Amino acid sequence: MNKTLVKSESLKKDLAAIILAAGYSSRMKLFKPLLPLGSSTVIENSIDSFTNTGIDNVIVVVGYQAKKLIPV
């Protein structure tokens, strides 16, 4: 296996992604993380983007409308 590939795979285990989803979305008037995007929502697509590249430690910072966002 290529040394660069092995190194990058081991680095992914040390990485974490932080997604900030705590804002009001006041200019848009709709809560952006829960807007539909394709067959899911913006927040689901964001999380999937990181996990599909091998970054499993994904932290979502919630605040406004946390009760609606956490189950997703």
Side-chain angles (χ1 to χ4, degrees):
M1 185 178 270
N2 184 328
K3 286 183 182 183
T4 305
L5 181 59
V6 171
K7 186 175 181 179
S8 96
E9 289 300 317
S10 65
L11 283 175
K12 286 180 187 176
K13 295 179 190 297
D14 295 334
L15 294 176
I18 300 174
I19 301 171
L20 304 177
Y24 289 108
S25 303
S26 58
R27 290 175 290 169
M28 184 147 202
K29 308 290 186 220
L30 299 169
F31 190 51
K32 288 183 264 186
L34 295 179
L35 288 176
L37 182 63
S39 61
S40 59
T41 63
V42 170
I43 193 67
E44 289 170 312
N45 274 287
S46 299
I47 294 168
D48 289 345
S49 293
F50 288 112
T51 57
N52 289 339
T53 61
I55 299 172
D56 295 325
N57 189 9
V58 180
I59 301 160
V60 180
V61 178
V62 298
Y64 179 68
Q65 295 198 21
K67 289 182 182 179
K68 291 181 181 178
L69 191 56
I70 290 171
V72 176

